[in-house]
Amino acid sequence: MAGFIKLKRSRTLPRNAANDTHLPYSHTMVNNRVITTRTTDSGENKALYEEFDYDAQKCEDDSDSESHGGPNVQAIAKAFDKFRYSEFCVLLYSTIGLVSGIIGSEIEYERFFRNNDSDIPDVELWTKYLLTISSVTTLLLVLALYQRYAALYNVMVVRHEQTHVQTFFSSGLLKNFLLEVFFCFPHPSVLLYGAETSIDDGSGTVTTYNWNSLLITGTINFRLYLYCRIFVIYSQYSAGRAQRITNMYGLDANYVFTIRCLMKKKPLAVLGWSFMVSGILGGYCFRTLERPDQESFHSIWNATWCSVITMTTVGYGDVVPKSFFGRIMGIVLSLWGVAVVSLMVIFISAGLEFNTGERKSYQTMEKLELKGKLRKSAALVIEHAFIRQRVRKVFTHHSTHYVEADITYKRKLQTFKNMVKRIRTTFQVKNLELHYLENDVSDLTKRIEKIEDQFNQFDFKQAQMDRKLDHIMKMMMRMSSNIAPSNGIIDIPNGDSSVSRSSHLILSPNSETSRKEY
């Protein structure tokens, strides 16, 4: 309660008290309502706080109503429990009728249409018993459906969605009840025991069916929605609390809302079960509809294989439906399979998306990996820079060793710069935070640029030194004409007379010492 009130206040704090963190409040109880006001507030702010405290108190009363609620909430909970119990009875009678009808129709088909007499004594009597159970449970199912709609009408009356003046027949529920009876009443019956019918598919092919086999196929397809509805009704998203919460926002916790909630919470489980159950039931329907004409469909595994391949729209063509009803069943399974598989792909893709914590963890690991690669690239640049410097001390800048070292250094430097650009571009496109790597990138870039400037200065000085040496060599070549042929002594023209002979230089083309002394 306190947390809810605090949240409401923080979202609508008055402008003149936005910077106040400790405000004095007073609490009073008026008509079972907690009213919280600030002692220094104006009348407008007091009314504002009173309104929000009333909403908070109402929400708290609704959330605790199942344990501390009034008689109206208890009446709604009791009526909804009766509705759930009637829905369970509907499902129970439907399941008993389906199981007995499937067993009875299978025994009847094996005996009459495949001439396979069983060794079980009184097999015909047992078959009729099973078909009778199917008929009796269908009648009980109709009564349970009426009880269900009566319980639903009672829930609507307690929730004030229907008035007491209206009756069940005038409330609009009668139409839904009759429509549901129409779908649930077809079933294999003992009255059709041994009856058969022939259907022409329009191409000259006549297929002979057992009536009870056709009816059990329709029963499975028509009653399948009952099993989906029981999971929806017994879900937490259609309970009384869910109804009250949705009513606060002007909504209704109907079947569509509950299915959306289940798909949001457990999408793969819902779709996986839907696909598996549809494949098995579709396989049984294929087997029932195609076995009079195709011997391969007598195997339930081949029929299930055909059902799954049809739902995934693969269609290998090894087993295919050829009868009229079999092709209709194939169309239904194809459409249903496309919807289920498409939703499954969507939710699998959504399941691979990161949540907030996973996304931040992945981004941090990606940044650390890029940081390591960047440091390795910078280390290679620095390493080859020093290699280039050592080679330059030994060889001239025109030598092959220096050229190779210089090319390698420039290649590593360009690789480093490209990596920096790629990292910044990638982080900007993905809207990621760059401040984790920005300092490291800037520091390494400055170091590389400093080393590059040093090498540029060194190259400039080296070029100046080379120009001076070339100038000196040219002067030496011009003065070589004054060298005596015998001893190679240079007489310096226009020189000072005080220069002694010991200052004359002895030149030799291969003498490095004479070059340095000069």
Side-chain angles (χ1 to χ4, degrees):
M1 174 69 179
F4 185 83
I5 297 175
K6 185 176 180 181
L7 177 63
K8 284 288 188 178
R9 288 172 186 154
S10 62
R11 294 174 58 185
T12 57
L13 197 63
R15 289 190 299 271
N16 58 355
N19 297 324
D20 295 340
T21 56
H22 302 286
L23 299 177
Y25 293 95
S26 62
H27 306 275
T28 57
M29 180 72 72
V30 177
N31 296 329
N32 295 326
R33 288 169 46 190
V34 178
I35 300 178
T36 304
T37 58
R38 209 181 77 179
T39 56
T40 58
D41 270 347
S42 61
E44 180 182 357
N45 291 335
K46 288 182 180 180
L48 184 64
Y49 289 128
E50 178 180 347
E51 179 183 358
F52 287 146
D53 285 332
Y54 173 73
D55 292 339
Q57 186 72 34
K58 180 181 178 181
C59 182
E60 185 182 37
D61 292 341
D62 288 341
S63 62
D64 296 336
S65 59
E66 292 186 359
S67 56
H68 305 92
N72 188 30
V73 176
Q74 292 180 356
I76 293 175
K78 185 180 295 185
F80 194 74
D81 289 340
K82 291 182 179 179
F83 173 70
R84 283 183 169 181
Y85 175 74
S86 61
E87 187 69 36
F88 175 77
C89 292
V90 169
L91 186 70
L92 179 63
Y93 293 141
S94 175
T95 304
I96 295 175
L98 275 177
V99 173
S100 60
I102 290 173
I103 298 175
S105 61
E106 288 294 321
I107 296 175
E108 179 185 359
Y109 179 82
E110 291 292 330
R111 182 179 182 188
F112 282 95
F113 295 92
R114 298 194 67 186
N115 297 322
N116 186 10
D117 292 333
S118 176
D119 296 334
I120 303 176
D122 299 330
V123 63
E124 182 179 355
L125 183 61
W126 283 104
T127 304
K128 291 182 178 181
Y129 281 160
L130 290 172
L131 296 177
T132 302
I133 292 174
S134 177
S135 300
V136 172
T137 52
T138 300
L139 296 176
L140 294 176
L141 173 61
V142 173
L143 295 178
L145 285 174
Y146 176 79
Q147 184 66 29
R148 174 191 179 275
Y149 277 94
L152 178 60
Y153 171 76
N154 189 22
V155 171
M156 296 173 66
V157 170
V158 174
R159 290 179 179 173
H160 303 291
E161 297 176 4
Q162 296 283 349
T163 61
H164 290 281
V165 178
Q166 293 177 323
T167 62
F168 172 76
F169 299 99
S170 62
S171 61
L173 296 177
L174 180 62
K175 179 179 65 176
N176 297 333
F177 167 71
L178 294 177
L179 183 64
E180 198 161 346
V181 169
F182 174 77
F183 280 106
C184 293
F185 189 78
H187 64 283
S189 173
V190 67
L191 301 177
L192 299 174
Y193 181 76
E196 62 181 25
T197 182
S198 299
I199 298 177
D200 188 357
D201 60 357
S203 61
T205 303
V206 179
T207 305
T208 301
Y209 289 106
N210 178 19
W211 265 110
N212 284 332
S213 296
L214 286 178
L215 288 174
I216 196 60
T217 303
T219 304
I220 292 174
N221 288 278
F222 291 153
R223 296 186 186 181
L224 186 60
Y225 77 96
L226 296 176
Y227 297 88
C228 300
R229 191 170 66 184
I230 193 69
F231 287 105
V232 172
I233 291 177
Y234 275 86
S235 172
Q236 61 175 339
Y237 301 107
S238 61
R241 175 172 293 183
Q243 292 286 349
R244 292 192 299 273
I245 293 174
T246 52
N247 290 336
M248 290 174 58
Y249 297 97
L251 302 175
D252 184 23
N254 51 17
Y255 296 147
V256 177
F257 173 79
T258 306
I259 292 174
R260 288 176 178 174
C261 293
L262 292 175
M263 292 291 290
K264 273 288 186 180
K265 187 174 183 180
K266 298 179 179 179
L268 296 181
V270 174
L271 294 175
W273 277 102
S274 300
F275 187 84
M276 184 178 66
V277 173
S278 301
I280 295 174
L281 294 181
Y284 178 78
C285 293
F286 268 145
R287 175 177 179 268
T288 304
L289 297 173
E290 292 295 324
R291 62 185 176 184
D293 291 335
Q294 300 188 62
E295 191 69 23
S296 59
F297 276 92
H298 283 283
S299 173
I300 187 63
W301 303 113
N302 290 339
T304 305
W305 163 258
C306 181
S307 174
V308 173
I309 295 304
T310 303
M311 291 178 64
T312 55
T313 66
V314 175
Y316 284 111
D318 49 353
V319 283
V320 293
K322 296 180 179 180
S323 64
F324 176 75
F325 288 112
R327 290 177 178 177
I328 292 178
M329 190 67 197
I331 293 173
V332 174
L333 282 178
S334 298
L335 297 176
W336 172 248
V338 168
V340 173
V341 173
S342 301
L343 290 175
M344 191 175 296
V345 171
I346 292 173
F347 283 105
I348 288 176
S349 301
L352 295 177
E353 294 291 333
F354 288 140
N355 55 31
T356 304
E358 292 173 344
R359 183 174 61 255
K360 290 183 178 180
S361 301
Y362 174 75
Q363 292 176 3
T364 303
M365 290 186 289
E366 189 177 16
K367 292 167 189 175
L368 293 175
E369 182 181 359
L370 293 175
K371 185 177 179 180
K373 291 181 179 180
L374 196 64
R375 286 182 174 179
K376 288 181 181 180
S377 180
L380 289 175
V381 173
I382 297 173
E383 178 183 357
H384 286 278
F386 284 106
I387 292 175
R388 176 194 177 195
Q389 186 178 8
R390 288 197 301 268
V391 171
R392 184 66 185 85
K393 291 180 179 180
V394 178
F395 303 96
T396 61
H397 67 284
H398 296 295
S399 63
T400 305
H401 297 284
Y402 177 77
V403 172
E404 292 179 356
D406 184 63
I407 292 175
T408 305
Y409 162 74
K410 290 181 179 179
R411 186 185 298 117
K412 298 298 181 182
L413 179 62
Q414 188 63 35
T415 303
F416 173 78
K417 291 181 179 180
N418 292 336
M419 183 176 293
V420 172
K421 293 179 181 178
R422 186 168 61 253
I423 289 174
R424 287 177 174 170
T425 304
T426 303
F427 275 61
Q428 290 175 0
V429 170
K430 293 183 179 180
N431 296 324
L432 302 178
E433 298 178 357
L434 190 61
H435 63 272
Y436 289 98
L437 285 177
E438 186 63 35
N439 296 331
D440 294 327
V441 171
S442 301
D443 184 50
L444 292 175
T445 306
K446 289 178 181 178
R447 291 184 182 183
I448 298 300
E449 290 177 352
K450 184 177 180 181
I451 293 173
E452 190 176 5
D453 292 339
Q454 291 176 358
F455 276 107
N456 291 333
Q457 293 176 4
F458 179 78
D459 291 339
F460 180 72
K461 293 179 180 180
Q462 187 67 34
Q464 288 181 341
M465 183 64 68
D466 290 340
R467 288 194 297 270
K468 290 181 180 180
L469 289 175
D470 291 338
H471 181 66
I472 292 171
M473 293 302 296
K474 289 179 181 180
M475 291 178 62
M476 290 175 60
M477 294 299 294
R478 286 198 299 267
M479 292 185 295
S480 62
S481 59
N482 298 328
I483 298 175
S486 59
N487 53 14
I489 298 175
I490 301 175
D491 291 331
I492 301 175
N494 298 326
D496 191 356
S497 60
S498 62
V499 178
S500 63
R501 188 172 178 81
S502 61
S503 63
H504 293 172
L505 299 176
I506 309 298
L507 292 180
S508 175
N510 297 324
S511 177
E512 186 70 23
T513 304
S514 62
R515 180 182 174 184
K516 292 181 179 178
E517 289 178 357
Y518 181 78

